[in-house]
Amino acid sequence: MLATPQMKKPTHPLTYREALDGLLKAIDDAPTAPDHPIFKKWDDKEYFETQLMFSFRKQQAAEHHIGNVKSMLGTAEAAAIAAMKNKGRPAKNAVASTASLVVNSGQSTAYVHELSAFLAAVRSGLDFLGVAAARTMPGIVAHSIHTLEKMVDKGQQGGILEVVKTHQAWLAELRDYRDEVVHRQVVQAPAEGWLVSTKGKTSKAIMPIVVPRRTPKRAFDTRQSRMMDNDVPLGLDRMESHGEVTFPDGTVKTIQHKVTFRPSASHIPIVELMTHHLMEYRKFSAAMFAVITKSGFGTVK
């Protein structure tokens, strides 16, 4: 009689918190002994867990900066809606007119500061995690995640390095963007404002807050550059649709008028960019937590 094959339980990648909790439990269960690869005494466990918690705190810091940006966006939207309501109706004879307000400084610079702090937090969290992970690898001392990245570039292998290799493209993307923003320049403050356009019908639009999709290039920040008044701010595309009908008696009536602003191909809404990097950080960390647990802290070959 043929044996009935056993059905495998469906598997799924551990969430960030599941993987972290599993690793903390493994630390609790791991022995301490003079011949243990990293846990020779209790203080070694304390150090290792502290490194992990520092990486967790940096994840919390990243969440904090996203929360700040979302709060600022909500406040700015409410202010724009109130301002557009108070703009007043166009004159009776007004057929085509546009009133707009665009702010490129002041409050809008706060978005850049939050983005910079967010990127620094994520990168710092990776460094704390990289230093901890390297301790499970005999003979390896890391001072940042970049140590492990360079090992992958040289073709070295191992459980920890396979995780780094899998996420190598994102790690490089984050590093380039963060290094440019934190060390070499200040990202140009995004345009912030609203527009009211009247062409028979009135259209109201709020400009989205966008930042460069890829590593930003250095832009001039001078008195002259700040005086430049562009109809469409950098990083935005203006879309306009207008339709009208002419009656037999010659009367012209507008049936549709709509103006909107969307991110251009080179830019992305700031929350979308930040969320992308936070999700990648969590996926990378969860995979790293799991492979450290599987390694038995260097005791499993």
Side-chain angles (χ1 to χ4, degrees):
M1 184 176 179
L2 295 176
T4 302
Q6 296 294 315
M7 296 295 292
K8 293 183 178 180
K9 294 182 178 180
T11 60
H12 62 85
L14 294 175
T15 66
Y16 178 86
R17 197 54 195 250
E18 288 172 344
L20 178 57
D21 288 344
L23 179 52
L24 293 176
K25 183 178 185 304
I27 292 174
D28 292 340
D29 295 341
T32 57
D35 60 348
H36 192 282
I38 61 173
F39 294 154
K40 301 184 184 306
K41 54 185 183 300
W42 179 258
D43 284 352
D44 295 330
K45 283 190 174 186
E46 295 283 274
Y47 172 86
F48 197 85
E49 182 174 338
T50 297
Q51 286 291 117
L52 298 176
M53 291 311 299
F54 281 170
S55 74
F56 173 71
R57 300 301 179 204
K58 291 299 182 179
Q59 188 256 175
Q60 289 181 313
E63 290 179 329
H64 170 78
H65 294 301
I66 290 182
N68 286 348
V69 169
K70 289 180 178 179
S71 178
M72 289 191 297
L73 288 172
T75 299
E77 181 178 359
I81 291 173
M84 289 188 294
K85 286 182 178 179
N86 294 331
K87 187 62 185 176
R89 295 183 178 181
K92 288 184 179 181
N93 297 327
V95 177
S97 64
T98 298
S100 64
L101 173 66
V102 180
V103 179
N104 286 93
S105 59
Q107 177 67 18
S108 64
T109 61
Y111 293 107
V112 174
H113 300 324
E114 291 293 342
L115 176 62
S116 179
F118 168 86
L119 293 169
V122 173
R123 181 66 186 184
S124 179
L126 289 173
D127 289 339
F128 282 122
L129 182 54
V131 169
R135 288 175 68 85
T136 68
M137 305 167 66
I140 303 300
V141 177
H143 300 288
S144 71
I145 192 68
H146 195 47
T147 302
L148 303 183
E149 292 181 86
K150 288 190 292 186
M151 292 175 67
V152 170
D153 290 338
K154 293 177 181 178
Q156 294 178 252
Q157 299 179 342
I160 296 295
L161 298 181
E162 285 304 309
V163 175
V164 175
K165 184 177 180 179
T166 299
H167 295 82
Q168 194 170 20
W170 169 69
L171 289 169
E173 174 191 349
L174 174 73
R175 181 181 66 248
D176 291 347
Y177 203 118
R178 177 262 181 189
D179 287 354
E180 191 69 23
V181 171
V182 174
H183 294 308
R184 304 188 186 102
Q185 65 159 307
V186 175
V187 177
Q188 184 175 350
E192 179 184 17
W194 49 269
L195 178 144
V196 175
S197 177
T198 301
K199 290 184 179 179
K201 289 184 178 293
T202 299
S203 175
K204 300 179 179 180
I206 299 174
M207 296 177 183
I209 301 297
V210 299
V211 293
R213 183 180 294 273
R214 303 299 178 193
T215 303
K217 296 180 179 179
R218 189 179 183 90
F220 290 128
D221 188 0
T222 63
R223 288 163 294 175
Q224 181 175 346
S225 68
R226 291 191 295 271
M227 290 173 62
M228 299 300 290
D229 183 17
N230 297 321
D231 290 337
V232 182
L234 178 66
L236 295 176
D237 290 334
R238 174 174 168 161
M239 312 292 182
E240 182 169 349
S241 60
H242 182 72
E244 57 186 25
V245 61
T246 303
F247 293 96
D249 62 358
T251 303
V252 178
K253 182 178 181 180
T254 298
I255 58 174
Q256 179 195 12
H257 177 56
K258 184 68 174 178
V259 178
T260 58
F261 292 91
R262 298 177 184 175
S264 61
S266 62
H267 283 62
I268 186 174
I270 187 171
V271 170
E272 192 173 324
L273 177 77
M274 297 170 80
T275 300
H276 160 68
H277 285 299
L278 180 59
M279 293 300 101
E280 290 299 317
Y281 177 78
R282 287 174 177 165
K283 285 192 289 186
F284 175 82
S285 299
M288 193 67 85
F289 295 154
V291 78
I292 292 173
T293 302
K294 187 176 180 180
S295 79
F297 308 101
T299 62
V300 178
K301 303 299 182 182

